[in-house]
């Protein structure tokens, strides 16, 4: 196979076709990584400036007060007192329903499934049914993360319900953000999808909401 001539920094080099193809691929990857880095910097500034609306502050406070009443600051200890998987699941359903009430969301279905190592849970949002699914492995191994996941997924339920009936009174701008994000949702099926997934407005909002509830709980 004839060597290929390339020029790097003014120097003329003779390389194999395989090396030339690899170098071209590397250059493309390097450029893509540069674009991703720039995007992450821009998204970081967006994350820092994303603000909840007035109604959210009350919802966060209500959820914090509810969790304080149920757990008294010791989520892991409260779950440790439950001796069977069935008891842990039933107790978790009670927590879901309690938090849903504080958030003004009607949850019709609560399930526990084996979702694999990368998914903690997800919301099931339909016009005729609202529910959440929790990873059973997370429930049994990390109760605090389970409760944070519940807050996250219920926030998705609230987002969806607000697009159908804006009883909380969110601004048109916030509803527009949520609607666009729902209609152009980026799922996270591979590691390459992760940056796009977490940068979506509804995911950013749900993460900030869950973190805000826990920050208030631990303050």
């Amino acid at each position: 196979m004839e060597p290929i001539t390339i020029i790097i920094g003014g120097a003329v080099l003779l390389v194999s076709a395989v090396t030339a193809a690899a170098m071209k691929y590397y250059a493309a990857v390097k450029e893509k990584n540069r674009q991703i880095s720039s995007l992450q910097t821009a998204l970081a500034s967006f994350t820092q400036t994303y603000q909840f609306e007035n109604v959210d502050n009350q919802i966060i406070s209500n959820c914090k007060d509810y969790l304080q009443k149920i757990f008294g600051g010791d989520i892991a200890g409260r779950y440790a007192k439950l001796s069977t998987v069935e008891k842990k699941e039933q107790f978790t359903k009670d927590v879901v329903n309690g938090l849903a009430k504080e958030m003004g969301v009607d949850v019709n279905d609560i399930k526990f499934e084996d979702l694999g190592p990368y998914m903690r849970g997800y919301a099931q949002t339909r016009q005729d049914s609202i529910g959440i699914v929790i990873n059973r492995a997370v429930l049994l191994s990390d109760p605090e993360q389970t409760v944070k996941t519940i807050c996250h997924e219920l926030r998705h339920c609230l987002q969806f319900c607000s697009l159908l009936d804006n009883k909380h009174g969110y601004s048109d701008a916030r509803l527009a953000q949520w609607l666009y994000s729902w209609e152009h949702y980026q799922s996270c099926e591979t590691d390459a999808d992760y940056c796009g997934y977490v940068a979506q407005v509804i995911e950013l909002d749900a993460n900030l909401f869950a973190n805000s509830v826990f920050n208030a709980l631990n303050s």
Side-chain angles (χ1 to χ4, degrees):
M1 182 179 295
E2 292 293 327
I4 295 176
T5 301
I6 63 173
I7 300 176
I8 300 178
V12 178
L13 301 176
L14 296 177
V15 300
S16 69
V18 172
T19 299
M23 292 174 68
K24 182 178 180 181
Y25 179 75
Y26 173 77
V29 170
K30 184 177 181 180
E31 173 62 18
K32 180 59 66 176
N33 286 338
R34 187 192 67 78
Q35 294 173 6
I36 291 173
S37 179
S38 297
L39 176 60
Q40 288 175 330
T41 300
L43 289 173
S45 64
F46 174 66
T47 301
Q48 295 300 318
T49 58
Y50 188 89
Q51 294 184 342
F52 290 122
E53 300 196 350
N54 290 335
V55 64
D56 291 321
N57 297 323
Q58 186 60 57
I59 294 174
I60 290 169
S61 179
N62 291 347
C63 291
K64 182 265 294 184
D65 290 343
Y66 172 79
L67 292 178
Q68 182 64 42
K69 180 178 67 175
I70 297 299
F71 293 105
D74 187 9
I75 294 174
R78 180 66 180 84
Y79 268 94
K81 295 178 181 179
L82 303 170
S83 58
T84 66
V85 173
E86 291 75 19
K87 289 181 179 179
K88 293 178 188 294
E89 290 184 354
Q90 182 55 56
F91 176 70
T92 302
K93 288 183 178 182
D94 294 339
V95 173
V96 172
N97 287 323
L99 284 171
K101 182 178 180 180
E102 298 297 338
M103 296 173 67
V105 176
D106 295 324
V107 175
N108 311 113
D109 195 20
I110 305 165
K111 297 178 181 177
F112 303 91
E113 297 180 1
D114 298 318
L115 301 177
Y118 301 110
M119 182 179 291
R120 295 165 178 164
Y122 61 90
Q124 291 183 315
T125 51
R126 297 182 292 270
Q127 291 191 12
D128 61 342
S129 178
I130 301 295
I132 69 171
V133 178
I134 301 296
N135 189 334
R136 186 177 286 108
V138 176
L139 168 64
L140 299 179
S141 61
D142 193 347
E144 185 165 313
Q145 181 58 60
T146 296
V147 177
K148 185 174 286 190
T149 297
I150 292 169
C151 292
H152 179 107
E153 301 307 336
L154 285 177
R155 181 65 173 184
H156 283 321
C157 296
L158 183 147
Q159 294 163 350
F160 180 81
C161 292
S162 294
L163 295 175
L164 301 178
D165 177 14
N166 187 22
K167 63 181 181 181
H168 290 306
Y170 286 103
S171 68
D172 290 343
R174 180 52 44 87
L175 293 177
Q177 286 180 314
W178 287 349
L179 178 60
Y180 184 89
S181 192
W182 276 105
E183 291 183 341
H184 300 83
Y185 190 74
Q186 169 66 56
S187 60
C188 186
E189 299 177 357
T190 68
D191 290 344
D193 299 328
Y194 183 73
C195 288
Y197 164 75
V198 297
Q200 298 172 106
V201 169
I202 57 174
E203 292 299 336
L204 169 65
D205 179 88
N207 282 328
L208 288 176
F209 177 82
N211 288 336
S212 295
V213 170
F214 269 70
N215 289 340
L217 184 65
N218 296 323
S219 63

